[in-house]
Amino acid sequence: MQTPQCRGPNHLLIFLGPILLAVDWVAMESQELYEHEKEPSYWDAQAKATLDAALKLRPREHQAKNIILFLGDGMGVSTVSAARILQGQMAGRSGEETMLAMDTFPYVALSKTYSVDKQVSDSASTATAYHCGVKANAKTIGLSANAVAYECNTTFGNEVYSVLRRAKAQGKSVGIVTTTRVQHASPAAAYAHSVSRSWYSDADLPSSARRHGCVDIATQLVTNVDIDVILGGGRMYMSPKGTPDPEYPTSNSRKGERKDRRNLIDVWLKAKPNKKSHYVWHRKEFDEINVRTTDRLMGLFEPKDMRFEIFRNSTRDPSIVEMTEKAIQILSKNPKGYFLFVEGGRIDHGHHDGIAKLALTETVMFDRAVHRAAQLTRESDTLTVVTADHSHVFTFGGNTPRGNPIFGLAPKKADDKMPFTSILYANGPGYVHINGSRGNITMVDYYDEEYMQQAAVPLDAETHGGEDVAIYAKGPMAHLFHGVKEQNYVAHVMAYAACLEPYTNCPPYPHTHTSTGCVNTPSSLVFGIIGLLWLFR
């Protein structure tokens, strides 16, 4: 194995100074911290340490062996900010000063999320952009904008191919982890080509689409690309119609629904007879998987989407953190490297429901998966990208004081003499008017896990937002993420960094160094230092 290229002090020194200061700050009681913040010297010292770190930042200008793409579905900037505060408050702190794992990434850009046909996009067209490198039309997956939604005959000849597929073609291992069903729009664009994101199984295909030769997404999951690790939900789309679900055997709504009577789990298990493949549907089986002897793993833990983290049964279903860990451990055995896609897909669902606690808790867990990946990888050979497909019409404000509970009230009443929560939605199911006035939440438990924040416009489901979303990056060629970019640029940077099609004029391999003075300093080491300092706070 090649020794990582030495790039001087890089991220350890770059981030250690500010982080050491931050750990000191968060260890203080809130009042003590507030007293320090009154002094100009406090802010001067913080800024000087950050400036010194920025001056030492050097890009890693060599080829990436591995690529991990983290996608927070619906994770707009306001969601990231609120989740940061929530994570801090969950640890008993004020919250605003907290650093998420993604906050430590040295390179940040903005992504323009519109699609070819929509100003405010959906998760299908955006997935085609960041997976395949071209912008597309709403509702379509893995197809150029020449394809028309729901018109099967526009599929053929308009296929575009993902970075995952290109990575597999060059001998890398590939994997998908999601908290939704594995046939959902975001992961599906990595392997499928469909004019409808909703054609999960053949039962969802119109008869005209079947006649024209269109194939459902679940079938494409196991036939288009040999995906080594598949973890998420979506059992019912893989089994013959009427097959009882192993976890909910008496539920008629969770039975298999395939009309073609195929068992796609068996198709996947038998596809590579020379490799050791396993299928699991329960946490116990998942935990028993030996990553050293397992070549391929499929884990489908729910009939449809996995449960929200708040309602997850930890004895039956693994978390996104645990699925990410297992995926990396299996994929990293390939000496040629790997591509892994990890989606926090239920951030989006929490927002659509107008329930901020669901969305923000999902975001906190998503960030913990980013943290765990940093501990398991090396920044010298792994390009890690964290981004979102689109935003939501979610906001928090109201002149709240420092440390205000993120799900709490604004300090003053509105002009209608009633209180309001800091978090609000521009539209959605939280619109409730009684006798021409919005609901009075004085006697409502707005800290409840299923409290629906108020919305300005009534809709059955809250909508996506159209503003730019952030891209966070670290590792080889991460410096190419800067400024404001079109969303499809994400796929091109990943392909270039790993020397995948269509790029042949690639970054060099890292130089081999034998000097004992050369130290690799990935962000995982930074996180380890944070942990140690936190223990001794």
Side-chain angles (χ1 to χ4, degrees), residues 79-121:
T79 297
V80 174
S81 301
R84 181 188 302 129
I85 294 171
L86 174 60
Q87 178 166 292
Q89 292 181 350
M90 289 168 69
R93 303 193 297 272
S94 172
E96 299 84 1
E97 70 290 334
T98 302
M99 289 185 71
L100 295 170
M102 66 184 91
D103 290 337
T104 68
F105 284 29
Y107 298 100
V108 179
L110 290 177
S111 170
K112 298 164 70 177
T113 64
Y114 68 93
S115 62
V116 171
D117 63 336
K118 298 287 186 181
Q119 186 179 81
V120 179
S121 56

Side-chain angles (χ1 to χ4, degrees), residues 184-197:
H184 212 255
S186 302
Y191 60 82
H193 313 283
S194 177
V195 291
S196 173
R197 57 178 289 178

